[in-house]
Amino acid sequence: MSTVLESTALKDPVTPLRPLGALRILVLRNYITYRHAWKLFLTGFLEPVFYLFSIGIGVGQLVEGFEFNGEPISYAAFVAPGMLAVSAFNGALMDSTFNVFFKLKYDKLYDQMLATPLTTADIARGEITWGQLRGASYSAAFLVVMWAMGLVGSWWAVLALPAALLIGFAFSAVCMALTTWMTSWQDFDKITLAQLPMFLFSATFFPLTVFPGWLQWVVEVTPLYRGVVLCRELTTGSITWASGVSVVYLVVMSLIGLAVVRRRLDTLLLT
């Protein structure tokens, strides 16, 4: 438990903190904890970059360009925004599952936090925000790589980073909610079982049109696909109604996940 939380409890053991104040404290605690573990952030960023180099650039030499929303596009420019969405997805997933599970089940960190003026709502917002920031840091660095490689084809790409923030927030909220039902490390096999198909079949490496009609509908309702579509349309400038659908989808997903997390923390820690 960081001295930040302890000093807060000593100053005012009764009055709850304001939401923004509590959020700042929890984000600061995570920053202090992870500032010497920067290599963990580096590996999370490099994974999608390696995929871009090996598949987007390597395989792209064997694939002719094709059309996306009626506009010609290279294979690398098609894959890159998909990997941008995956960067936000990976960062949010890692922090909101493995780390939250350890804090909740083994370190008992959240029990200690509740001995301060912090509430379960503060914990939920703080952890989700930190997971979102981790995913956003991956996405921001990856967006710079895309720009340096000439894979950004529109000024709409300035909105790709806010889009990545929304993707990270949505997955942080939902993944943290799911983590509250886990009872052992073996349960993380279920996370991998969901993560890998979403990564491979969310139109990350090939267009949705290659799937049969019924399977296209299944893919379109998956959350990572909505993130991939949003990032791809922004970086290519081919904005359609699907962008609005993706934003609404991810916002609703975020709010549902946040509400479930708070209720689950109340159940696990206050009863």
Side-chain angles (χ1 to χ4, degrees), residues 93 187-199 201:
L93 180 73
D187 287 334
F188 283 91
D189 290 339
K190 301 172 185 176
I191 295 291
T192 304
L193 185 62
Q195 179 187 14
L196 188 58
M198 277 198 294
F199 171 60
F201 301 107

Side-chain angles (χ1 to χ4, degrees), residues 230-249:
L230 182 58
C231 289
R232 185 168 288 142
E233 293 195 343
L234 290 172
T235 56
T236 60
S238 303
I239 307 299
T240 67
W241 62 270
S243 298
V245 171
S246 298
V247 170
V248 173
Y249 182 108

Side-chain angles (χ1 to χ4, degrees), residues 94-251:
M94 293 298 294
D95 220 282
S96 299
T97 54
F98 291 95
N99 292 337
V100 166
F101 182 77
F102 178 78
K103 294 174 185 177
L104 179 65
K105 299 294 185 179
Y106 292 92
D107 200 31
K108 302 297 182 182
L109 179 63
Y110 300 145
D111 296 273
Q112 300 173 51
M113 287 182 176
L114 291 176
T116 74
L118 294 173
T119 66
T120 54
D122 295 328
I123 294 172
R125 285 190 292 263
E127 291 293 349
I128 291 170
T129 299
W130 177 253
Q132 178 190 16
L133 291 175
R134 183 170 180 175
S137 66
Y138 293 168
S139 299
F142 190 82
L143 193 58
V144 171
V145 172
M146 287 179 59
W147 174 80
M149 296 175 63
L151 299 177
V152 176
S154 170
W155 285 106
W156 281 102
V158 298
L159 297 178
L161 184 57
L165 286 171
L166 180 58
I167 295 167
F169 183 75
F171 278 103
S172 289
V174 170
C175 289
M176 185 174 178
L178 294 175
T179 301
T180 60
W181 273 285
M182 295 183 183
T183 58
S184 69
W185 292 108
Q186 283 70 31
D187 287 334
F188 283 91
D189 290 339
K190 301 172 185 176
I191 295 291
T192 304
L193 185 62
Q195 179 187 14
L196 188 58
M198 277 198 294
F199 171 60
L200 293 176
F201 301 107
S202 294
T204 314
F205 300 110
F206 40 82
L208 184 66
T209 52
V210 303
F211 294 114
W214 66 271
L215 190 54
Q216 289 183 28
W217 183 86
V218 173
V219 173
E220 285 179 337
V221 298
T222 58
L224 184 57
Y225 173 79
R226 303 314 324 176
V228 168
V229 166
L230 182 58
C231 289
R232 185 168 288 142
E233 293 195 343
L234 290 172
T235 56
T236 60
S238 303
I239 307 299
T240 67
W241 62 270
S243 298
V245 171
S246 298
V247 170
V248 173
Y249 182 108
L250 293 170
V251 168

Side-chain angles (χ1 to χ4, degrees), residues 1-2 4-17 26 108-120 122-123 269-270:
M1 191 67 178
S2 70
V4 175
L5 294 175
E6 292 173 355
S7 61
T8 303
L10 292 174
K11 288 180 181 178
D12 193 346
V14 176
T15 305
L17 291 170
L26 287 167
K108 302 297 182 182
L109 179 63
Y110 300 145
D111 296 273
Q112 300 173 51
M113 287 182 176
L114 291 176
T116 74
L118 294 173
T119 66
T120 54
D122 295 328
I123 294 172
L269 301 176
L270 299 181

